Amino acid sequence: MTDIDVRTAGRVGRITLTRPHALNALTYPMCRAIEECLDRWSGSASIDLIVIDAAGSKAFCAGGDIVEMYRTATRGDLEYGRGFWRDEYRLNAKLARSCPPVVSFLHGFTMGGGVGIGCHVQYRIVGESSRIAMPECAIGLVPDVGGSYLLSRAPGRIGEFMGISGTRAGPGDAIFSRLADVFVPEAFWPELIAQLEETGDPSEIEQFRREPPGGTFPHCMDLIDRIFSSSGIAQIIDALGQDSSELAAACLKLIGRNSPLSMACALKLIRMQRMSMSIEEALALEYRIVHRSVEQLDFIEGIRAMVIAKDNKPKWRHSCPDQVSSGEVDALLATLGDQELELETRK
């Protein structure tokens, strides 16, 4: 397929996303193709390592192909999106458990679905251009593809801060937030990949490791922890409004564009994920919300406003966080009964 280049090189299975014109946004066929590679290379005597990277200079993967979800949902087809999410979540879990291990090279934008395929793996490499984020609340969804689970494992209240605001983490902040592992200058990536292909040994990464550029998150932890430990979105906004820092002002601007219902769900989801014991358990919790997203969340309106019409004027279900009830959030996170996510192996 033209959207993904799959091959073997030496001891390595190579997967390269090749949709640079679309910021390598993950389509349903790409998702299936990556899973087929993992299944084929699992336990292979000739493959010691898998490398995932992407073409173009702007993005590793800037998210999922939400345009097709919009088209099918507005025609009344809810199963397309639900099927995509089920298969995508199964892929996320397989990447987290993969043997052979996976190395991801996360240049440029890594957001949403890109986090799902690039940030659960065993070796996550960032460079100078890397910007990692979960901005789903801006399109009326919540951090998913296991993103809420990763955010729940970040230091302090970084998870709530990034998940609600959609703030982007540069290379230093991504490593600090435990969304990435190693900084390697991008000029060294071709040489590093060549050595990985020759040896199949991930310890080769260490000789290319460098100190990442300084981030801002470590210096703002007191502020982030104080504000984002507040009980609800309205309280977080009030606390931000009372703070004179640049970070608070930037957060207020980002939060102001987001769906109030999505933010309320994201806040509770991230906090609930601190109790999840596995990626599979975490994905099942996220799936409850996305399964209901077309009918009960702001997802379709968010895509319309931000991607289809591009008027950036979404008409959210609630005009402000105060209008969102705890009952609405609880209902979106309630069990799906016989529709609960099951991560069985695809036939």
Side-chain angles (χ1 to χ4, degrees):
M1 64 183 302
T2 58
D3 292 339
I4 184 171
D5 180 17
V6 176
R7 69 270 190 210
T8 58
R11 305 296 304 174
V12 171
R14 294 290 311 278
I15 299 172
T16 300
L17 310 183
T18 56
R19 294 186 77 207
H21 60 284
L23 299 181
N24 294 310
L26 187 68
T27 66
Y28 204 160
M30 290 167 70
C31 176
R32 288 180 173 272
I34 295 171
E35 184 180 15
E36 288 170 1
C37 291
L38 295 183
D39 291 344
R40 184 167 68 251
W41 292 331
S42 177
S44 171
S46 61
I47 300 296
D48 296 327
L49 200 63
I50 297 172
V51 168
I52 302 179
D53 63 357
S57 61
K58 294 183 178 180
F60 168 73
C61 175
D65 186 14
I66 56 176
V67 172
E68 187 60 25
M69 287 195 181
Y70 177 86
R71 290 172 180 159
T72 54
T74 51
R75 293 198 301 263
D77 178 7
L78 305 187
E79 287 309 309
Y80 173 86
R82 290 167 179 172
F84 188 167
W85 277 310
R86 284 194 299 267
D87 286 357
E88 185 180 19
Y89 287 13
R90 185 178 58 246
L91 171 61
N92 301 148
K94 284 187 177 183
L95 284 163
R97 308 289 189 196
S98 179
C99 183
V102 180
V103 183
S104 61
F105 286 81
L106 308 173
H107 80 279
F109 295 120
T110 299
M111 301 189 293
V115 170
I117 61 171
C119 294
H120 293 297
V121 305
Q122 294 87 340
Y123 303 95
R124 305 164 298 178
I125 295 174
V126 288
E128 299 90 332
S129 70
S130 300
R131 299 293 183 271
I132 300 179
M134 294 299 296
E136 284 75 11
C137 289
I139 57 166
L141 199 61
V142 295
D144 72 320
V145 295
S148 67
Y149 181 70
L150 293 171
L151 291 174
S152 77
R153 267 59 183 169
R157 299 293 179 166
I158 290 288
E160 287 95 327
F161 159 62
M162 290 188 68
I164 294 166
S165 69
T167 296
R168 298 170 182 173
D173 285 331
I175 292 171
F176 176 78
S177 302
R178 302 171 189 160
L179 297 170
D181 302 304
V182 179
F183 174 79
V184 175
E186 290 166 32
F188 296 161
W189 287 13
E191 183 182 355
L192 170 55
I193 291 173
Q195 289 197 208
L196 292 173
E197 290 175 346
E198 180 179 352
T199 66
D201 184 358
S203 68
E204 300 284 358
I205 296 169
E206 285 304 309
Q207 64 179 300
F208 292 89
R209 180 195 291 263
R210 298 293 185 273
E211 191 68 23
T216 60
F217 294 179
H219 308 293
C220 301
M221 283 301 294
D222 288 346
L223 172 66
I224 290 170
D225 286 351
R226 174 172 55 81
I227 290 178
F228 286 88
S229 62
S230 301
S231 60
I233 300 299
Q235 290 74 25
I236 288 171
I237 291 173
D238 286 345
L240 288 169
Q242 294 172 25
D243 193 278
S244 60
S245 67
E246 291 183 8
L247 180 81
C251 276
L252 278 174
K253 185 176 181 180
L254 290 169
I255 286 172
R257 69 183 185 181
N258 293 346
S259 159
L261 181 56
S262 290
M263 290 191 292
C265 288
L267 181 64
K268 183 158 187 175
L269 178 61
I270 291 166
R271 290 175 175 175
M272 288 177 70
Q273 292 289 27
R274 294 195 172 103
M275 302 299 293
S276 294
M277 300 303 293
S278 68
I279 182 64
E280 292 83 3
E281 184 179 340
L283 289 164
L285 194 57
E286 291 178 346
Y287 183 73
R288 293 178 179 180
I289 295 181
V290 301
H291 180 92
R292 298 177 167 113
S293 61
V294 170
E295 296 175 303
Q296 300 177 42
L297 210 57
D298 284 314
F299 184 44
I300 296 303
E301 173 59 13
I303 300 175
R304 184 208 63 77
M306 305 301 176
V307 181
I308 305 299
K310 297 182 180 179
D311 57 24
N312 295 318
K313 295 179 180 179
K315 297 177 181 177
W316 302 132
R317 293 168 186 257
H318 307 80
S319 61
C320 65
D322 284 336
Q323 292 183 355
V324 180
S325 71
S326 59
E328 290 176 275
V329 176
D330 290 342
L332 283 158
L333 280 160
T335 178
L336 292 166
D338 60 6
Q339 297 296 310
E340 287 277 89
L341 180 67
E342 294 183 6
L343 295 173
E344 74 283 356
T345 301
R346 179 167 60 88
K347 305 299 184 190

